[in-house]
Amino acid sequence: FRSSGKTLELVQVHNTGEESSSMHTSEPPVDKSKKKRRIGVAMTVVAVLLVAVIIVVVAVQLSSGSDSDTQIRKSMVLRILAEVSNTESIQQDGSPQQLAFDWIVHEDKKFSDDNPEKLKSRYALAVFYFATGGSSSWKSNDRWLNGTECRWIFVTCNLNGNVTKIQARTSETSSGLEGTLPWEDLSILTALETLDVGWNKISGTIDP
């Protein structure tokens, strides 16, 4: 302050904060390349998750469609076989008829879809196969349940492709067949003239 005989004047200088702020350490500049990389990684993760979701949705739709097709085929096959076989046996778990039915529905589509009579014939032979031991006891099950039935071992067909003979033995030797003869189902084979299961462990009767 100064005195000159006049009123004393006190001059105050207010700190505006500029000086103190200049004492603070400034933040380093943002690395733009790192920021871009982070954004890129995030977008990639989102894209991968989106693709995964799409794959799951498509898989579920395909599965639903497949299940629906299988149910339709089951109904169609059951309707055809109901004309010649006991549906209760077909629906009994583990029965030769049920095993043959499942084979027709799930594995034999190529050979049975366009010909109901062929479907019945192959079903009857499949019942015979499962009822007499099939792969568990037969000494040879060459080609059974694969390709045309006229090439299955023991089976003979006529020129029209109808089964005329089942000869499940060679000379006086067993072929390993064991079980009960499913004659009711074999009677579906209207062209069958010879059924020879001698020397095998087969029970049951053949209706005249």
Side-chain angles (χ1 to χ4, degrees):
F1 63 93
R2 59 182 178 272
S3 176
S4 57
K6 297 181 180 180
T7 305
L8 296 178
E9 293 181 2
L10 179 62
V11 180
Q12 294 180 332
V13 179
H14 297 281
N15 188 346
T16 61
E18 294 178 358
E19 183 177 349
S20 61
S21 64
S22 64
M23 298 295 292
H24 295 165
T25 303
S26 59
E27 295 181 359
V30 177
D31 189 333
K32 293 183 178 180
S33 62
K34 289 184 178 180
K35 185 175 181 180
K36 288 181 179 180
R37 283 197 297 270
R38 287 196 294 269
I39 294 174
V41 170
M43 292 180 66
T44 300
V45 171
V46 171
V48 170
L49 292 175
L50 182 59
V51 170
V53 170
I54 292 174
I55 291 174
V56 170
V57 171
V58 171
V60 169
Q61 290 177 342
L62 289 175
S63 176
S64 299
S66 177
D67 291 343
S68 176
D69 291 343
T70 299
Q71 290 302 320
I72 292 173
R73 179 168 172 77
K74 277 186 175 181
S75 298
M76 181 269 292
V77 172
L78 189 61
R79 185 172 63 254
I80 293 173
L81 295 181
E83 301 172 5
V84 293
S85 187
N86 186 336
T87 56
E88 291 184 3
S89 297
I90 292 175
Q91 296 172 339
Q92 181 181 346
D93 288 343
S95 69
Q97 290 79 8
Q98 188 261 336
L99 295 174
F101 174 76
D102 279 357
W103 171 70
I104 289 286
V105 170
H106 298 290
E107 301 180 42
D108 196 42
K109 299 177 183 180
K110 180 178 179 181
F111 291 93
S112 300
D113 278 350
D114 59 346
N115 190 333
E117 295 306 314
K118 179 67 68 175
L119 184 150
K120 295 174 187 177
S121 175
R122 291 171 70 81
Y123 166 78
L125 290 171
V127 172
F128 172 75
Y129 177 78
F130 290 116
T132 57
S135 60
S136 63
S137 68
W138 286 19
K139 292 180 179 179
S140 174
N141 60 348
D142 189 26
R143 292 188 292 273
W144 272 76
L145 309 188
N146 289 289
T148 173
E149 65 274 23
C150 295
R151 298 187 62 189
W152 296 353
I153 191 172
F154 310 142
V155 176
T156 301
C157 296
N158 59 22
L159 294 178
N160 294 322
N162 299 317
V163 177
T164 58
K165 183 177 182 180
I166 301 175
Q167 183 167 342
R169 69 166 176 167
T170 303
S171 185
E172 296 182 356
T173 303
S174 168
S175 296
L177 279 65
E178 299 178 1
T180 302
L181 189 69
W183 176 248
E184 179 182 352
D185 299 287
L186 286 177
S187 63
I188 296 171
L189 305 173
T190 55
L192 184 65
E193 299 173 352
T194 302
L195 174 62
D196 187 349
V197 292
W199 301 95
N200 291 282
K201 298 178 181 179
I202 298 295
S203 60
T205 58
I206 297 177
D207 295 335

